[in-house]
Amino acid sequence: MTLTLKHIVPVLNAQWKGEFGDIEIDHISIDSRSLQNGPGTLFFALSGPNNDAHNYIGELLDSGVFNFVVTHIPDEVKGQANFIIVPDVLLALQQFAAWYRDKFHFPVIGITGSNGKTIIKEWLNFLLGPDYNIIRSPKSYNSQVGVPLSVIGINEMHNLGIFEAGISTVAEMERLEPIIRPTIGILTNIGTAHDEGFANIADKIKEKLRLFKRSEVLIYQKNKTIEAFIQSGTKRFSWSFKEEEAEVLLARRTEGEQTIITIKKGAPEFEITIPFRDEASIENAAHCLMVLLFFEYDPNEIKGRMSLLYPVEMRLVVKNGINNSTLIDDSYSSDFQSLKIALDFLENQKQHKKKTLILSDIFQSGLGNEELYSRVSQLVVSNKINRVIGIGPIISAFKNKFVNCSTYETTSEFLAAFPALHFRDETILIKGARQFRFEKIVALLEEKTHETVLEINLNAVSHNLNFFKSKLRPETKMMVMVKAFGYGNGGLEIARLLEHHKVDYLGVAFADEGISLKASGISLPIMVMNPESTSFPSIIQYGLEPEIYSLKGLEAFLKVVSAEKKSAYRIHIKFDTGMHRLGFEEKQLDELIAILRNNPLVTVQSVLSHMATSDDLNHHAFALQQIALFEKMVTLFCTELGIDPILHMLNTSGISNYPEAQFDMVRLGIGLYGISNDASEQKYLENVSTLKSIISQLRTIPAGDSVGYGRRFMAQHDTKIATIPIGYADGISRHWGNGVGYITINGKRAPITGSICMDMLMADVSGISCKEGDPVVIFGLDPTVNEMSKSLKTIPYEILTSISQRVKRVFYRE
């Protein structure tokens, strides 16, 4: 959707000071430090008790931002930018988001409650992702600021929204409801978090239910107290394990580390299995199950998808720790209700007899400190915790309530004492409020196995797949290319995700790639695009389907099929329509048809060609010529043989630029991995791959000293140099060195100095606050693969596929 300042000013009923009302706005920002800020940014200058973004307008002007929503114009920037003046910037942000939300008409799931919002949101995104192009709250953006920022992320390609809303006091939901305006509501459990913001539990329930005042249906665990406050016009879709009156009655039993849930009433009876047994996960899974039932999914589909649920980061995540220990990372929040859930999870996940709890001060419990820590002590005893480490001034004051307890006033004090605490052969639950920065503790306790990794965001892969699906006719099939180790991203893991999304075909370059996938359990049909004749027996053994592009290759394959005593084996015939790389030419059709006519050994599953210029509209006429020739050759070929195979010609760029040539199937390649050569399309794709490393060593060199082989960098002044353990053996081009390229450290760019070595590169980090061990981004959001390829005068394919397999791939869902 194209937005200009002229659109926005009347929405906010604002005063306008500026000259360029036709400027297009493509980015909304509240963070002055963001590297995404630029000429198309509209910056909302929020003010809080500790910070006022109006103070950073000058710096933003220097970085190219010229459009601001403000309560006043600071004297030093008057006349230098476009200003939208409002009484309340936060309210203006919310008004804008509500107006923006009103432009879209598709189902929106709104989630609120005390616990489980983020997990349910992420699980629903996974469960519904194969069928919808979903916009959802990033991470836990559920606040008065986070919700509008989430909703503003909607674009024309989305057809389902999932947003969570969190509140801490009365009147807050009234602002969030018109921004989310859910058509489907989910109310998770009502716990003690933020109790101090409400007079009583009734006020808390009523406030949360305000989110659903215009919802078509409300999904919730049956509860008479809650039902007393639900509006009479709202359709109720409740579930329960014990209340017979619920719309859906469930039963459950545990088997090992799994829970089997049976639908007993309200739908055809069937069972699902989830890979969890703790109460919180079971409850969250039940809410997700209800959404799938409401959407009328087939029971078998529900069973398959629910069995693949996974732990969500920023909640309870199990990690390998140092010295044979196991970590349960819940360093995201600290309240009494979630502590009970976490301790229950600890009991289910423990791998050692010894159990340690690292706990910060607990907030938002609604209890006095004496009662609160007495209850915490009771929990610790009942869960048989061997050691308690408390961090914070309040828990330190109640140290005497715990057995075998040590306390520290701050996280820094704990970190200083860490070497003497001897963590080994134990399960450690790390539970802390955000302000204590317990991620530092996690980093210290987590086992360090790799310094350089390529992180693959599977959510982004799903998003990009659905983006391109949205461009296709409903009946058009999709082949996805996973050749070259999934364009460097990992073939098997990507293939498993694509199988979950039910694509029609996978494409690989050589037989060994397909064999590896089949041997690992991939059941999707796999087409081998460049089979060698020596691989034909293995292709048949593993049920792969070869592309045949020459008469010699066809004759060789027919001999192998005959020797293996196979018949009607599926092959794919490739025509050369102008690429002049592989394929049958038009003059060879008669001979090809003669060989295939009434041949019982093979069946033509598909006919394909490859476009040479689909990404370059300067060669539009040539592309149309290719399409026309393909249609001509296909007509003759299929008519003579009396067959109706799958026809396909379009690659990623072709999907976008030549929709009229979709035929029966398209072949998605680089677009799946978040890369487009079209800048207008690129903004709809999500980054999939982030190559990360760390700072191995820091040193400061004086003016006149050099860095690296050949002394290609000479310091003009005292310069701080960081050494990073990644080099050209890992796939980083040497041309990216010597000041051409940069890395990102703590959000700031550091130019690469000197020549890139086989296993290392060096960067100038003068002026950047950093230390040894700090993370480094080689590519991802900054720099992007597109930016690197342009600087290196190559293509993104080469950047991605060059990353060595000695670099560990780490797959995650946000």
Side-chain angles (χ1 to χ4, degrees), residues 311 315-320 326-329 345 349 351:
R315 293 298 185 186
L316 298 167
V317 182
V318 180
K319 302 177 178 180
N320 291 329
T326 300
L327 308 184
I328 298 178
D329 179 5
F345 187 81
Q349 293 291 327
Q351 299 181 25

Side-chain angles (χ1 to χ4, degrees), residues 35 48 72 91 174 187 353 549 572 707:
L35 296 175
H72 63 281
L91 180 59
E174 282 291 340
L187 181 67
K353 291 183 178 180
Y549 50 81
H572 302 262
V707 173

Side-chain angles (χ1 to χ4, degrees), residues 494-747:
I494 300 294
R496 282 175 174 159
L497 182 63
L498 294 172
E499 194 160 55
H500 168 71
H501 282 283
K502 296 185 175 179
V503 302
D504 299 281
Y505 261 90
L506 298 178
V508 298
F510 298 101
D512 57 348
E513 296 174 313
I515 290 169
S516 177
L517 294 177
K518 286 294 186 183
S520 299
I522 298 298
S523 60
L524 283 174
I526 299 175
M527 178 177 166
V528 182
M529 311 292 284
N530 189 23
E532 299 162 314
S533 58
T534 54
S535 69
F536 285 159
S538 296
I539 283 175
I540 292 174
Q541 178 185 351
Y542 284 91
L544 305 174
E545 301 176 21
E547 172 190 292
I548 302 296
Y549 50 81
S550 70
L551 294 171
K552 180 181 177 182
L554 176 58
E555 290 168 354
F557 189 71
L558 289 173
K559 287 181 180 178
V560 175
V561 173
S562 178
E564 295 288 338
K565 295 182 170 51
K566 301 288 185 180
S567 62
Y569 199 93
R570 298 204 295 194
I571 63 173
H572 302 262
I573 298 295
K574 185 169 189 178
F575 292 160
D576 179 7
T577 58
M579 182 77 168
H580 296 330
R581 187 172 64 180
L582 294 173
F584 292 96
E585 298 179 5
E586 186 176 14
K587 63 186 179 184
Q588 296 176 297
L589 283 185
D590 289 342
E591 191 173 356
L592 173 63
I593 291 168
I595 295 173
L596 291 175
R597 181 177 280 122
N598 300 320
N599 193 317
L601 296 176
V602 293
T603 183
V604 178
Q605 176 70 4
S606 84
V607 179
L608 66 146
S609 188
H610 193 74
M611 300 183 73
T613 62
S614 63
D615 60 342
D616 188 349
L617 295 180
N618 291 321
H619 295 284
H620 181 68
F622 181 79
L624 294 180
Q625 180 181 318
Q626 277 197 273
I627 294 169
L629 179 57
F630 182 63
E631 290 175 330
K632 178 184 176 184
M633 293 175 70
V634 162
T635 300
L636 173 63
F637 182 74
C638 294
T639 301
E640 288 294 320
L641 291 177
I643 60 175
D644 185 24
I646 298 169
L647 307 179
H648 49 113
M649 190 174 190
L650 298 184
N651 56 6
T652 295
S653 297
I655 293 171
S656 299
N657 293 332
Y658 297 94
E660 71 279 8
Q662 287 181 21
F663 296 107
D664 303 307
M665 186 164 71
V666 298
R667 302 189 300 272
L668 178 62
I670 194 73
L672 181 76
Y673 307 100
I675 305 295
S676 173
N677 70 303
D678 183 346
S680 63
E681 182 175 83
Q682 183 66 56
K683 64 184 181 182
Y684 292 113
L685 301 179
E686 291 186 359
N687 180 67
V688 169
S689 309
T690 302
L691 182 58
K692 291 183 175 181
S693 191
I694 65 166
I695 297 175
S696 290
Q697 190 174 38
L698 286 170
R699 62 170 54 79
T700 299
I701 63 172
D705 274 19
S706 61
V707 173
Y709 289 117
R711 306 193 72 195
R712 291 184 174 86
F713 173 81
M714 303 292 295
Q716 302 300 309
H717 46 74
D718 288 359
T719 304
K720 185 164 67 168
I721 298 294
T723 301
I724 317 300
I726 185 171
Y728 60 76
D730 301 292
I732 307 303
S733 171
R734 292 184 75 249
H735 299 295
W736 189 235
N738 294 313
V740 174
Y742 65 92
I743 58 178
T744 303
I745 300 174
N746 295 331

Side-chain angles (χ1 to χ4, degrees), residues 238-396:
S238 64
W239 63 271
S240 179
F241 286 112
K242 57 184 179 181
E243 298 290 341
E244 296 280 349
E245 297 83 4
E247 278 74 25
V248 176
L249 182 64
L250 307 173
R252 66 178 177 178
R253 67 182 189 276
T254 58
E255 290 185 2
E257 297 305 312
Q258 298 180 326
T259 300
I260 293 88
I261 298 176
T262 306
I263 290 82
K264 303 291 289 185
K265 189 195 83 171
E269 183 167 326
F270 65 97
E271 289 185 345
I272 64 169
T273 300
I274 59 173
F276 309 100
R277 56 180 294 170
D278 62 285
E279 291 295 325
S281 294
I282 293 170
E283 185 174 318
N284 294 333
H287 286 297
C288 295
L289 169 63
M290 293 293 286
V291 173
L292 296 180
L293 291 174
F294 179 76
F295 280 10
E296 300 182 340
Y297 274 75
D298 179 81
N300 287 328
E301 193 68 38
I302 295 174
K303 290 166 65 175
R305 297 190 186 188
M306 294 291 290
S307 68
L308 298 175
L309 293 180
Y310 55 90
V312 176
E313 284 194 4
M314 299 200 319
R315 293 298 185 186
L316 298 167
V317 182
V318 180
K319 302 177 178 180
N320 291 329
I322 61 172
N323 302 325
N324 193 40
S325 61
T326 300
L327 308 184
I328 298 178
D329 179 5
D330 194 18
S331 55
Y332 177 74
S333 65
S334 181
D335 61 81
F336 184 69
Q337 194 69 21
S338 66
L339 175 61
K340 292 194 293 184
I341 295 169
L343 287 169
D344 180 43
F345 187 81
L346 167 63
E347 184 60 24
N348 287 317
Q349 293 291 327
K350 67 175 182 179
Q351 299 181 25
H352 309 276
K353 291 183 178 180
K354 183 179 178 181
K355 295 184 290 185
T356 295
L357 170 64
I358 302 177
L359 181 67
S360 79
D361 288 348
I362 295 175
F363 303 116
Q364 302 168 346
S365 68
L367 303 171
N369 286 334
E370 183 72 26
E371 182 180 2
L372 169 64
Y373 289 100
S374 293
R375 292 192 183 187
V376 172
S377 176
Q378 293 169 10
L379 284 177
V380 167
V381 171
S382 63
N383 283 273
K384 299 178 181 178
I385 302 299
N386 303 94
R387 174 167 61 159
V388 176
I389 297 173
I391 299 177
I394 302 176
I395 195 170
S396 295

